[in-house]
């Protein structure tokens, strides 16, 4: 349902009225122009507070009713100090004229008294995190007029917290980002699993290369010796060479089955899969078949 059909007497202005800044969209960083306005709040007597930004500089411009010339009441650079702003998110004005600034990347709210050159920490300020005394990318907030309690939308923690003092907040909505935390844990677990599998694979490759050297090298050495001495007529030499040929032949054929034992010893995953196939699949299938055969025996 549109607004017009909901309230048939609604009259919409066809053109806006510029009350601060340039009517033609000219940017500037002086008393009559704005460069990058980020937030606005209306104070007592319809005074307008505008947060303006330009090249790592933040300034709060105060415009009195009927005046298009602003007064700079906060002048801050980008940074992490209480007299600085890292990433402005929102602002609020209380009945006493105190200005509250929500700093998204400093994870805090600072309170600027009229005429102050630095802010006072009133919420957050304990780094990025999910504890109740921390914030993580807060996006908006509200200051209660009578109590000055601060309600903060804590975006990355998927919650709303209420700060009644500067030490810690109280959870009032949301229970944390369960899906996002689970996804984060799974994303952290996947590299650990891959790292473990890579270690097992590296161990298997090195062990198999070592087994090739151990089992194949004696055969190569014996063939080289046999080539160098030629056909010997000495019975003892012939018997000795025959003995070592049989022995190295055993080693040579063992190396064909060595990968199985290497994989079994080096890889936990291979052992689990082998046990599963032998016992969970084939043994249970064989046992089930025996039960069926016994049941079919005529008594």
């Amino acid at each position: 349902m549109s607004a017009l059909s909901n309230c048939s007497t609604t009259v919409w202005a066809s053109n806006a009225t510029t009350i601060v800044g340039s009517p033609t969209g000219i940017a500037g960083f002086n008393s009559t122009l704005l460069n990058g306005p980020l937030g606005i709040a209306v104070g007592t007597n319809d005074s307008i507070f505008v947060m303006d930004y330009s090249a790592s500089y933040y300034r709060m411009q105060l415009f009195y009713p009927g005046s298009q010339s602003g007064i700079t009441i906060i002048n801050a650079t980008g940074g992490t100090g209480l007299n600085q702003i890292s990433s402005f998110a929102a602002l609020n004005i209380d009945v006493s004229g105190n200005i509250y600034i929500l700093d998204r990347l400093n994870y805090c709210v600072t309170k600027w008294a009229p005429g102050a050159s630095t802010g006072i920490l009133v919420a957050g300020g304990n780094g990025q995190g999910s504890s109740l005394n921390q914030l993580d990318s807060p996006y908006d907030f509200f200051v209660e007029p009578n109590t000055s309690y601060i309600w903060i939308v804590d975006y990355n923690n998927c919650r709303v917290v209420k700060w009644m003092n500067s030490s810690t907040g109280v959870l009032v909505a949301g229970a944390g980002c369960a899906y996002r935390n689970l996804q984060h844990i799974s994303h952290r677990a996947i590299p650990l699993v891959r790292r473990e599998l890579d270690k097992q694979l590296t161990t298997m490759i090195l062990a198999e290369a070592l087994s090739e050297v151990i089992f194949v090298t004696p055969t190569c050495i014996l063939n080289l010796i046999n080539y160098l001495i030629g056909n010997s007529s000495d019975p003892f030499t012939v018997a000795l060479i025959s003995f070592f040929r049989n022995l190295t032949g055993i080693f040579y054929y063992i190396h064909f089955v060595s990968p199985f034992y290497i994989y079994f010893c080096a890889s936990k995953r291979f052992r689990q899969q082998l046990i599963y196939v032998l016992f969970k699949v084939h043994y249970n299938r064989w046992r089930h078949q025996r039960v069926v055969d016994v049941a079919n025996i005529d008594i």
Side-chain angles (χ1 to χ4, degrees):
M1 180 180 293
S2 67
L4 288 176
S5 61
N6 188 37
C7 184
S8 59
T9 60
T10 300
V11 178
W12 297 89
S14 58
N15 295 299
T17 301
T18 302
I19 53 176
V20 295
S22 169
T24 58
I26 298 174
F29 209 62
N30 54 38
S31 61
T32 59
L33 297 176
L34 299 172
N35 185 77
L38 300 174
I40 185 172
V42 179
T44 57
N45 301 323
D46 292 333
S47 300
I48 298 174
F49 297 79
V50 180
M51 176 59 75
D52 195 22
Y53 173 78
S54 176
S56 299
Y57 284 93
Y58 292 89
R59 65 174 183 169
M60 181 70 69
Q61 294 292 94
L62 171 61
F63 295 87
Y64 290 109
S67 175
Q68 290 191 340
S69 179
I71 301 172
T72 302
I73 56 175
I74 293 178
N75 198 1
T77 59
T80 59
L82 288 176
N83 63 339
Q84 296 177 304
I85 300 171
S86 178
S87 179
F88 172 85
L91 69 93
N92 210 296
I93 312 293
D94 66 13
V95 293
S96 301
N98 297 307
I99 301 172
Y100 295 79
I101 297 177
L102 179 63
D103 195 333
R104 186 171 63 87
L105 294 184
N106 278 332
Y107 318 107
C108 69
V109 176
T110 52
K111 174 183 174 182
W112 299 67
S117 59
T118 187
I120 301 171
L121 186 67
V122 291
N126 296 305
Q128 180 184 18
S130 58
S131 299
L132 285 175
N133 67 339
Q134 294 178 305
L135 299 170
D136 191 351
S137 294
Y139 265 77
D140 203 358
F141 77 127
F142 169 73
V143 180
E144 289 187 13
N146 297 325
T147 62
S148 296
Y149 293 162
I150 303 172
W151 300 65
I152 302 175
V153 177
D154 198 0
Y155 175 77
N156 275 347
N157 285 323
C158 307
R159 67 189 182 186
V160 175
V161 286
K162 178 181 178 181
W163 291 69
M164 294 182 288
N165 54 63
S166 60
S167 60
T168 187
V170 177
L171 182 67
V172 294
C177 306
Y179 169 73
R180 190 176 298 165
N181 292 338
L182 180 61
Q183 189 179 42
H184 180 65
I185 291 172
S186 65
H187 285 173
R188 291 184 61 186
I190 288 174
L192 296 177
V193 173
R194 288 178 177 170
R195 190 182 307 166
E196 182 63 27
L197 293 178
D198 288 344
K199 287 169 58 178
Q200 294 179 13
L201 181 61
T202 302
T203 302
M204 289 188 295
I205 293 174
L206 293 177
E208 189 167 353
L210 182 61
S211 70
E212 291 286 334
V213 174
I214 293 174
F215 293 127
V216 177
T217 300
T219 302
C220 297
I221 294 174
L222 182 63
N223 290 335
L224 179 62
I225 293 174
N226 194 25
Y227 173 78
L228 293 176
I229 65 175
N231 295 325
S232 175
S233 57
D234 182 17
F236 177 77
T237 303
V238 172
L240 190 62
I241 291 177
S242 177
F243 170 76
F244 280 108
R245 181 177 290 112
N246 292 332
L247 184 62
T248 56
I250 294 173
F251 272 78
Y252 181 77
Y253 287 109
I254 285 177
H255 97 277
F256 288 109
V257 297
S258 62
F260 170 80
Y261 299 101
I262 292 173
Y263 299 159
F264 186 83
C265 295
S267 175
K268 180 180 179 181
R269 182 178 179 85
F270 180 80
R271 292 194 298 272
Q272 292 173 341
Q273 292 294 326
L274 179 63
I275 293 173
Y276 173 79
V277 171
L278 291 180
F279 294 97
K280 298 292 185 180
V281 178
H282 293 292
Y283 176 72
N284 288 337
R285 184 183 301 170
W286 172 79
R287 188 173 61 178
H288 177 72
Q289 185 64 37
R290 287 193 61 192
V291 172
V292 173
D293 292 342
V294 171
N296 291 332
I297 296 176
D298 295 331
I299 301 176

